[in-house]
Amino acid sequence: MIPDAFVQDLLARVDISDVVGRYVPLRKAGANLLGLCPFHNEKTPSFTVSPTKQFYHCFGCGAHGSAISFLMEHTGASFPEAVKALAATVGMAVPEESRSPRQQAAARERKEQKSHHRQVLEQAQACFVGRLKTSPSAIGYLKRRGISGQTAARFGLGWAGTDRHGLAEVFPNYEDPVLVESGLVIESDDGRRYDRFRERIMFPIHDGRGGLIGFGGRVLDKSEPKYLNSPETTLFSKGQELYGLWEARAAIRANGHVLVVEGYMDVVSLAHSGVENAVATLGTATTAMHVQKLLRTSDHIVFSFDGDQAGRRAAWRALQQCLPLLRDDVSVRFLFLPAEHDPDSYVRAYGQEAFRATVNEAVPLSRFLLDELASRHAMGEAEGRAACVHEAKPLLAQLPSGALRLQIEREFARQVRFTPEELSAMLADDAVGGSPPAMPASLDDGRTQRPRGTVGGGEAPVGGPTASADSPGEPPFVQYAGRARRVVATRRVTPMAKRLLRLLAAHPELAAALGDQQLEIVCGSPHLVLVRELIALINGSGARHVGALLQIVEAGSDLATVLSSLSAELLGQDDLPDPNAEWRDALARIELDAVKEEQSRLVETGLNDADARQRYRELTRRIALLTSALPRS
C-alpha cells in the first residue's frame, strides 16, 4: 500500500499540465489551459486544466481530478501503476507502508494468482488460434458468415476443438487447480475433469487495458447454448464487461458514438464491414455497470436490438438501466431492425452504408419510453390513461432533474391528457406518499451527479434542495425542481459554509493556520460540519492544492460531492490577494450571526434574571465590535 504522505508529495511535485499535455493538445486560455476532452466526444473545447490549482475539469461531461486520476481514467492504469508512472517522471521511488507479514503474503498471493490466471488464459488463447488454422469446419463457418482471415486475426478468433480433454495437450498438469479457477476446465462432482469449451469458435475477451480476462464460445450449428462464457473468476465478471470495447475504442472516438449489439458475431461482422464502433454485452441483460462504462467511453449510445419481441424486451431493460444515469448532454437511442434481421445479417445483406443509415434513424430514448408506455394501455379511455400514469411514475422518478426530465414529463403529460402542472402535482404526491428513489445531488455547476444514498446530519448538498420544517420524527419535505418530495435529511450547506469550503479548496494552507478562536467558531457552528471535515482532511493528509484533495477525498461522500461542485467555480476564480483576510471576514460574519441568534433567544426568555441581562450586554458589545471590524458593503 502506497503511503498517503508520498502521494501528496508526488502531487506537489508533478505538473498536471505536463501530464495531461502528453495526451491532449492544450492551448492557453487566461490563467488556465484548454483542450478537447479526452473522455467524451466534443467539437468545441470544454476541457480545462489549472496549472496553479493542479486539477482538470470538463464543463461538458463533468470529468475532473488530479494528475493521478487523469492517468487512471485516460490510460486505464490502476492507482499503483499511475502513481509509479508519475513518480518515475520526477525521479521519486515509490515506498510502501509497512504491513504485517500476513498482509504482505496475502497481497503477493493475490497478485501472483491473477498473473498466473492471465498466463494460463494466454496459453489457451494461443492454442485456440492455432487450432482455427487447422479446422476446415471452423474456417468454413467464418467464411459463410463473411469473416475474413484478417478480421479473425484482429479479434484473435480461435477454435476450441472437439476433444473433451484438448487442453491437456497445452497443460501437462491437467489436474492443476488453476485450470478450474480460470474457467477453462470443469470438474464434476465425481472429480472427473473436462474442457469447458468444445466445438466452438472462441472469442477472447479483454478488459479496458487490453488484458485477456476470459472467453466466449459460439457453436457452429443450432445447438444450445449458442454462446458460452467463462464463469466468474478473479479476472472476469460478465455483468461488468463489454465484448469488443478494447478493440473499438479508437473507432468510438472517431464515429462519435458507441453501438451496443447483442452478440459477439455481430461485433465482428460489423467490424469486417467497416462499422468498427460496436460492442456487445456478454450474454446478459444490460446492467447499470455496462451503462456507466459506456458513458465513460462516449456520451452518445445507440442500442441495436432485434426487431422481435425478445429484442424489444431487451431494449426495455436497457432503457431502465439508463434512466438514473441520463444527463442533458447524453444521447441514448434505440435501433430496431426488421424482425428477420440482426446487425450481422443486416450489414451482410445491405452493406455498411445502409446499416449506418438505419443507425442515424435510431429512436431517441424519450420516444421509445413514451411509445412503449402508450402501447401497453388503452389510451383512448380514462382507465387506460390512468394505468399508463401508474406504470410511468416509478420510471419518471428515476430521471435526474434537468432539461431532459422536464421535456419528457411535458410530452408524457400531453399523452395522458394532463397539464404539466397536474402531472407534477401527482408525481409529488406519489413521492410524498411512498418511498422515493435516491435523490440526485444537483450542484451549483448545473450538472446532476449520479444518485447516491442519503446520509445523516443537518446539511444538504451545495446548491441542492432545501429542507423545510416538518413534524418531529418525520423526514422533511424537499423542494426539488419545483416538486416536493419526502426524503431522509441530507446535509445542507449554507452560503457562508460554501464560502469557507471554496476558500479552503483554493487555499488549503488556511487549514494549518487556524487559531484557537477561529477553530472554536468553526467547531461551534452546526452548519459547518463539512468545513470541519475538509479541515481535518487537509491537516491529516498535507494536501497542498485542490487536485490533491480531489484525489484523496472518499468517493461518494458528501465532501466529495461538494468538492466536485466547486471545481468548476475554482477554475474561473482568480487567486485572492489576501485569502487570510477573506477567511477572517467569513468567520467574523458567522460569529456575528451566532451572537445575534443567542441574543434573540435571551430576549425571548424575558431577561428576567441578572445573569441573562449581563449576558445580553456582553453580546451587544460583541456585536458592536464585530460590526465595526467588518468592511462596509
Side-chain angles (χ1 to χ4, degrees):
M1 187 174 179
I2 301 172
D4 288 340
F6 177 82
V7 173
Q8 291 304 314
D9 193 20
L10 174 63
L11 288 173
R13 295 194 191 189
V14 299
D15 187 339
I16 192 170
S17 56
D18 290 339
V19 176
V20 176
R22 297 184 204 127
Y23 304 92
V24 180
L26 299 171
R27 61 177 173 81
K28 191 74 172 172
N32 299 320
L33 300 170
L34 192 66
L36 292 172
C37 181
F39 304 116
H40 81 290
N41 292 289
E42 61 178 8
K43 295 181 180 179
T44 303
S46 61
F47 183 80
T48 308
V49 178
S50 171
T52 56
K53 301 179 178 70
Q54 287 294 298
F55 78 106
Y56 63 89
H57 179 88
C58 176
F59 289 89
C61 68
H64 61 270
S66 68
I68 294 174
S69 58
F70 178 84
L71 285 183
M72 292 173 65
E73 288 294 321
H74 188 63
T75 68
S78 65
F79 176 76
E81 290 169 342
V83 170
K84 288 175 183 176
L86 283 178
T89 65
V90 291
M92 296 176 68
V94 180
E96 292 207 0
E97 285 186 339
S98 58
R99 291 176 291 178
S100 68
R102 179 179 296 179
Q103 290 174 319
Q104 294 176 22
R108 282 195 303 270
E109 184 178 348
R110 286 193 300 270
K111 186 175 181 179
E112 290 170 2
Q113 183 187 51
K114 287 188 175 182
S115 177
H116 193 187
H117 283 194
R118 203 179 295 277
Q119 290 173 8
V120 166
L121 293 178
E122 289 171 350
Q123 286 179 264
Q125 165 66 359
C127 171
F128 296 147
V129 170
R131 285 177 180 170
L132 177 62
K133 298 174 182 177
T134 62
S135 173
S137 60
I139 293 173
Y141 172 82
L142 292 176
K143 285 183 176 179
R144 289 193 299 274
R145 299 296 297 266
I147 305 301
S148 68
Q150 183 180 6
T151 301
R154 176 190 167 192
F155 283 90
L157 302 189
W159 172 243
T162 59
D163 191 344
R164 284 175 58 87
H165 305 98
L167 288 178
E169 300 175 8
V170 183
F171 304 102
N173 182 13
Y174 195 67
E175 301 301 315
D176 190 341
V178 76
L179 297 180
V180 175
E181 294 167 2
S182 61
L184 292 172
V185 168
I186 294 175
E187 186 173 77
S188 60
D189 292 338
D190 60 6
R192 289 185 294 177
R193 292 187 168 202
Y194 54 92
D195 292 1
R196 177 179 297 274
F197 300 101
R198 299 187 307 280
E199 298 185 63
R200 292 178 182 270
I201 298 291
M202 299 299 292
F203 299 80
I205 302 168
H206 300 91
D207 62 18
R209 286 173 282 167
L212 182 60
I213 56 176
F215 292 98
R218 192 200 191 284
V219 294
L220 303 186
D221 53 24
K222 296 186 180 296
S223 58
E224 296 292 337
K226 181 192 294 186
Y227 287 103
L228 181 66
N229 290 315
S230 291
E232 300 286 309
T233 68
T234 56
L235 295 175
F236 179 68
S237 176
K238 64 183 178 181
Q240 300 181 23
E241 303 299 338
L242 291 159
Y243 175 73
L245 187 59
W246 169 252
E247 292 84 353
R249 62 197 187 283
I252 291 170
R253 288 194 293 270
N255 285 272
H257 71 274
V258 55
L259 178 68
V260 187
V261 296
E262 294 187 79
Y264 306 105
M265 191 55 72
D266 291 326
V267 172
V268 177
S269 183
L270 286 170
H272 177 75
S273 301
V275 182
E276 300 180 335
N277 57 321
V279 302
T281 55
L282 304 177
T284 67
T286 304
T287 67
M289 287 294 295
H290 288 145
V291 178
Q292 291 172 10
K293 187 165 287 191
L294 289 166
L295 288 174
R296 287 197 293 270
T297 305
S298 176
D299 51 16
H300 294 273
I301 304 172
V302 179
F303 289 97
S304 178
F305 295 98
D306 299 351
D308 57 15
Q309 285 302 311
R312 295 192 76 86
R313 285 195 297 271
W316 185 250
R317 288 192 293 268
L319 176 144
Q320 291 176 297
Q321 297 299 324
C322 290
L323 290 178
L325 301 173
L326 291 177
R327 305 190 306 264
D328 290 344
D329 61 335
V330 164
S331 170
V332 177
R333 292 178 174 266
F334 293 86
L335 169 62
F336 297 103
L337 297 172
E340 67 274 15
H341 280 296
D342 57 22
D344 173 22
S345 66
Y346 193 95
V347 77
R348 284 190 288 118
Y350 301 106
Q352 174 194 156
E353 293 307 317
F355 182 79
R356 289 189 185 279
T358 64
V359 172
N360 293 334
E361 297 170 358
V363 178
L365 178 144
S366 59
R367 188 74 270 142
F368 176 41
L369 171 65
L370 298 177
D371 288 350
E372 186 67 18
L373 286 170
S375 71
R376 301 179 183 192
H377 304 280
M379 302 299 285
E381 60 186 39
E383 290 83 355
R385 293 192 296 275
C388 186
V389 172
H390 179 77
E391 183 180 1
K393 282 180 181 178
L395 299 172
L396 297 176
Q398 293 183 60
L399 287 166
S401 294
L404 178 60
R405 174 173 178 155
L406 189 59
Q407 292 288 333
I408 291 175
E409 287 186 359
R410 285 182 175 177
E411 287 194 35
F412 181 69
R414 287 195 294 270
Q415 191 166 285
V416 295
R417 303 185 190 179
F418 278 3
T419 66
E421 293 74 21
E422 289 170 338
L423 180 63
S424 292
M426 180 163 287
L427 293 174
D429 289 344
D430 186 66
V432 169
S435 179
M439 178 70 71
S442 181
L443 304 174
D444 280 6
D445 61 1
R447 182 172 54 85
T448 300
Q449 305 297 306
R450 290 193 294 272
R452 59 182 176 80
T454 54
V455 296
E459 302 193 1
V462 174
T466 56
S468 63
D470 242 343
S471 57
E474 292 187 357
F477 284 106
V478 171
Q479 295 297 325
Y480 203 89
R483 290 179 292 276
R485 294 184 181 179
R486 188 179 292 280
V487 297
V488 176
T490 54
R491 295 187 173 188
R492 179 174 175 272
V493 177
T494 63
M496 192 57 68
K498 184 182 175 185
R499 181 182 175 188
L500 293 180
L501 289 165
R502 188 190 296 112
L503 278 167
L504 284 170
H507 303 279
E509 66 276 7
L510 290 171
L514 275 174
D516 291 343
Q517 186 178 0
Q518 292 182 334
L519 198 58
E520 183 178 344
I521 295 170
V522 172
C523 293
S525 173
H527 304 302
L528 301 184
V529 175
L530 289 177
V531 176
R532 294 195 289 273
E533 288 184 11
L534 184 54
I535 290 171
L537 181 67
I538 293 170
N539 288 334
S541 66
R544 304 174 202 179
H545 47 66
V546 67
L549 291 171
L550 289 169
Q551 182 63 51
I552 60 172
V553 68
E554 182 183 354
S557 65
D558 278 8
L559 190 55
T561 303
V562 169
L563 288 176
S564 296
S565 74
L566 292 175
S567 60
E569 295 182 30
L570 293 175
L571 281 172
Q573 177 181 296
D574 294 331
D575 289 337
L576 296 171
D578 190 354
N580 280 293
E582 290 284 336
W583 179 260
R584 289 193 299 270
D585 178 80
L587 289 181
R589 293 180 187 278
I590 290 171
E591 185 184 3
L592 180 60
D593 289 342
V595 171
K596 287 181 177 179
E597 186 177 343
E598 183 182 352
Q599 193 179 57
S600 296
R601 288 196 301 269
L602 283 173
V603 171
E604 290 173 1
T605 65
L607 301 176
N608 295 323
D609 57 69
D611 289 342
R613 290 191 291 273
Q614 176 61 27
R615 181 58 180 164
Y616 181 85
R617 288 191 290 271
E618 291 173 358
L619 293 175
T620 300
R621 288 193 293 271
R622 186 61 183 164
I623 289 172
L625 182 62
L626 289 170
T627 303
S628 64
L630 291 174
R632 296 184 181 274
S633 55

